[in-house]
Every structure is written in structure tokens, then in C-alpha cells.
């Protein structure tokens, strides 16, 4: 049984920063892609960022490129999302996800495991 647990969400003012963490447990994660998605009220879940096992493949959505940075610590089976220059439109529930693919994909259907989500609220 795979478990992904997110932490680090909260309330922040526009222009501020937050760092999300996701810890994975339950199996070996060697070679797998880790990603972050988000879902705002009334909207579909959207891809935010993804990173391959070897760090060589990172992908960001256009809306967060230059502001967010994804990283991972394979020894700790963890992935992080550093979010800077936050905007009100970044408000959403953020989900950590794991894909058994080798290269990062933006397709949520290709991610096999999901966390419960952590709320990020940016006040303007």
C-alpha cells in the first residue's frame, strides 16, 4: 500500500512564499516520477510541476514557471514544491502524486498514487 502525505499548506499574503512537502511510503520508488497538481474551487485538477527520479527531467506549467521550484530527496522518498511570489490565483488544494513512468507527464491519469491534498490560500 502506497501512502503520500502532503504538508506545508496554509494562508499567505500575495507575494509571499510557502514550501510544500510530500513524503511517500509503502514501496520502493526508484525510477518513478513525482508530481504536484492543484485544484481550485469549481475548476478541474491541473498539473503544476513534475520531476523525474534522476532530477534531469523537470516540467512546470506556464502559470507557475519562474515562481515555483520542484525538488526531491530520493533518500527520504520525498518531493518538495517551493512556491514564491504567490498570487491569489494560486489558491487551491495541492496534491502530491506518483507516476510509474520514467519521464514527467502532465496527464493526471498517468499518476498511480495520490495524497489527500493540502490547502494553500493566498490572500490579496
Amino acid at each position: 500500500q502506497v501512502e503520500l502525505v502532503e504538508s506545508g499548506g496554509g494562508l499567505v499574503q500575495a507575494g509571499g512564499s510557502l514550501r510544500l512537502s510530500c513524503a511517500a511510503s509503502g514501496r520502493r520508488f526508484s525510477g518513478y516520477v513525482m508530481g504536484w497538481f492543484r485544484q481550485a474551487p469549481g475548476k478541474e485538477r491541473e498539473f503544476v510541476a513534475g520531476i523525474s527520479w534522476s532530477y534531469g527531467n523537470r516540467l512546470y506549467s506556464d502559470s507557475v514557471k519562474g515562481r515555483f521550484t520542484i525538488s526531491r530527496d530520493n533518500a527520504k522518498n520525498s518531493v518538495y514544491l517551493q512556491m514564491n511570489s504567490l498570487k491569489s490565483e494560486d489558491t487551491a488544494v495541492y496534491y502530491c502524486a506518483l507516476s510509474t513512468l520514467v519521464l514527467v507527464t502532465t496527464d493526471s491519469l498517468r499518476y498511480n498514487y495520490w495524497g489527500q491534498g493540502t490547502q494553500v490560500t493566498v490572500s490579496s
Side-chain angles (χ1 to χ4, degrees), residues 46-97:
E46 64 172 352
F47 173 82
V48 175
I51 185 169
S52 63
W53 171 259
S54 62
Y55 315 108
N57 178 216
R58 303 186 199 212
L59 197 62
Y60 298 92
S61 68
D62 288 342
S63 61
V64 307
K65 198 174 297 181
R67 300 187 298 121
F68 291 10
T69 301
I70 188 170
S71 61
R72 67 188 292 170
D73 184 335
N74 292 333
K76 296 181 179 179
N77 281 339
S78 295
V79 64
Y80 310 96
L81 187 67
Q82 178 66 42
M83 306 185 295
N84 299 328
S85 302
L86 283 161
K87 305 175 182 180
S88 57
E89 50 262 45
D90 295 317
T91 295
V93 177
Y94 283 71
Y95 296 90
C96 172

Side-chain angles (χ1 to χ4, degrees), residues 8-31:
L11 174 64
V12 64
Q13 289 188 334
S17 299
L18 280 176
R19 184 176 188 245
L20 304 184
S21 300
C22 172
S25 62
R27 66 175 295 172
R28 291 186 62 190
F29 299 96
S30 177

